[in-house]
Amino acid sequence: MTPKKADKIAVNVLYGLSGIIVLILASLLTYILVRGVPQFSIEFFTQPAKTFEVGGGIIIQLYNSFYLLLLTLLISTPVAMGAAIYLSVYAPQNSFTTFVRTAIEVLSSLPSIVVGLFGFLMFVVQFKLGFSILSGALALMIFNLPLLTRTIEDSLTAIPSSQREGGLALGLSKWETVTRIILPAAMPGIITGVILSAGRIFGEAAALIYTAGQSAPALDFTNWNPMSITSPLNIMRPAETLAVHIWKINSEGLMPDGPDVSAGASAVLILAVLSFNLLARYLGKKIQKKITSA
Amino acid sequence: MAVNPEETDLNKKHIVTLNEKEPLAISTKDLHVYYGKFEAIKGVSLEFEKNKITSLIGPSGSAKSTYLRSLNRMNDEISSAKVTGEILYKNVNINDPEVDVYTTRKQIGMVFQSPNPFSKSIYENIAFGLKRHGVKGKETLDKAVETSLKQAALWDQVKDKLNQSALALSGGQQQRLCIARAIALKPEILLLDEPASALDPISTSQVEETLIELKENYTIIIVTHNMQQASRISDRTAFFYLGHVLEYDETRKIFTNPTIQATEDYVSGHYG
Amino acid sequence: MEETVQHFKKRSPKRKQERFGKTISLVATIFIVSIVFSILFFVASRGLRTFTEHGVSAIDFFAGTAWRPGEVSDAGEPLVGAFPMIAGSFLVTIFSALLATPFALGAAIFMTEISPKTGKKYLQPVIELLVGIPSVVYGFIGLTVIVPFIRQIFGGTGFGVLAATLVLFVMILPTTTSMAVDTLNAVPRYYREASFAMGATRWQTIYKVVLRAASPGLLTAVIFGMARAFGEALAVQMVIGNAALVPDSLTTPASTLTSILTMNMGNTVLGTLENDVLWSLATILLFMSLFFNILTRWIGKKGAMK
């Protein structure tokens, strides 16, 4: 075989492999949407789930997913921000810093089921928080911290060091320089990172089945007393999310229209993650524009 | 005929000191800067006169920027850097670790090689530093913004768009904004690290004119690679070579009749 | 004079501010690090109880093939042989990596060497979307498409190692691909130019120059994919059948460490042997994850030395 011929064959094979990947994604999306979107109905989005009958909805799980997402972002963003500031501003170049970076990397590579089991041991059992939104949010925080810290740190270090020098030369502390100059300038990157992490959190189930639990007690959406068990705001109630719901229906196999509900829920999940992605891009670009122009 | 660097006698120096009539702004005594084991500045003693422009010139690697950055303790930010010797400002050795670095930098302002306005509005770029140092009141801030922009000869060009992003300005305007930002804090000394090296000739001459006007109120120390610039704007010039100052004298003298051979070779363009 | 000295030595509020900022950011950092150690400590100390509290021998646990926690053998030993799950985890990991690697490398080469423009426009978003799809959705598709498909072709239930492998293949594809892309992009331009200048074809350049220069990074990409496959829980649990048997065929129900953990953690009581052996499985997962981590570091170091 001449080198020219080998070249041609190789290029064709590469085209083929890449084409198959595109095809896989396309068929995955088509399958989920074709199978799932027809399940969408007003009842589907407004009714609670039914375990043994046909026609249940996903309202409670959907709400739980968003509520958990919000709480997780609220507790993980400040911590990730703090660690990212430490690593990008204060961390000296020594073995302690290397050690910290290694630890964060290890955390990011832990399987999420392990994070969930740890959450179970620590929050559910040890801290006696039970299967609750709070336990779930804490587990998701652990799941989210390493990646979010890295994204924020990357956004911070992407700002030219001349900005930092400019602040320091005015007699400002590093803290002021990073919080008032670098952080605002890095905001587009940080917001993109936070929203992308939101997509990951929204679809996560393994970290939740033993922390936020696998049951979704009925909620009364007119009850806004956070201490009440039926209140949507209560953080001590067990809360099955949409992703956990899909897993639960399929592994229990009790729900007669389980495949339909799962398909609908999967479509919702994918559309949500997709919109997080689009939102991240859009907001990132928009804020960037706002900063650099008028 | 260029001298071989190895043949240059680093012990032969010509450094003038100030007389009683020439008020001192800042001086260094036997200043050394180390980066780890590497000695970048090898004992520099210089006296800078008040309300004058002093140029620091010298070939790349002569450590003139390093010297400049020591004067407002910016080298503190490099963890491997160590500065020994005295930096006397108002008779205080500000190289003492006890000395508050933030107070020091507020009084000894700095402008960098490439313009680095903050990604904030033009107004905020200037008001920001003031606010962070506790200046309050819209009127006070407005006044300070206006004064500093006027001093930096930028007011007329930006007065109608103070709320626009500073990043939308041209390079020369950005650099003058950075000068305005530094002088808004009313420092006594202004350090400039090759402030025009990233600018086109027109912007460069605008910045130069600004500096000459600023001399009335500030002591200016400027690092430059541009021989013409040094001779055009400065009153005194120090020639840096491999971490030493070989010659320090009036600019006119440095450029027309230097004492040291290496200085002559450098200013006449034999190497650099 | 003394006054000016005082002026300069006075501690400005900035120093306090700096100490404050440094402290809280350090606290956040140490918090994260302490989480990592808590996980390692608490999970492992639970996992070790199988051997310390319940006196199960390590050989019985790692090599035993009978997994019926709660029951004892004729000799009175508890039946907690984890070998079926260990074998299952390794099998699905290795098979899915074998399947995904050619596709991932192919796509990465396509995106960096053949057609960066098309790659960026089409493949990049495809890869990003594949990463974004939640694992339960992969599990659901596996359950409703792949399992019935396998059932039709090979008979049986359709659950098993093959189904898990196919699901994991798609799941680790984007991980491996995007890391491989980063690695290939890091190969300096002039390597390729030098090779072209000597008259090499595009494929010769890719095969003999680019891939060779990038091989440590590509290996890391594959290992990252394997780590993801090894730790994936729900998608695998949904399609593998969860029978704690050493798989003797690719299309009969089997199980992995993660699938058994997912299934049984809720049905056992903390402190009993039935529960502690599950923590032992979790500990294996934990150490495998550390092992993959160390492996990639080691490769990185070796690659850098070359």
Side-chain angles (χ1 to χ4, degrees), chain A residues 7 90 109 174 210 247 281, chain C residues 18 128 203 237 262 293:
Chain A
D7 187 75
Y90 294 110
S109 65
K174 287 182 202 168
Y210 291 118
W247 171 75
R281 271 161 219 262
Chain C
E18 195 72 301
E128 280 168 22
W203 176 243
Q237 184 265 342
T262 312
N293 218 294

Side-chain angles (χ1 to χ4, degrees), chain A residues 157-191:
Chain A
T157 44
I159 304 302
S161 63
S162 64
Q163 291 279 315
R164 190 171 146 254
E165 286 193 314
L168 296 176
L170 290 177
L172 307 185
S173 61
K174 287 182 202 168
W175 179 247
E176 280 174 302
T177 309
V178 70
T179 52
R180 314 240 169 200
I181 300 172
I182 311 287
L183 210 56
M187 228 10 128
I190 293 176
I191 289 183

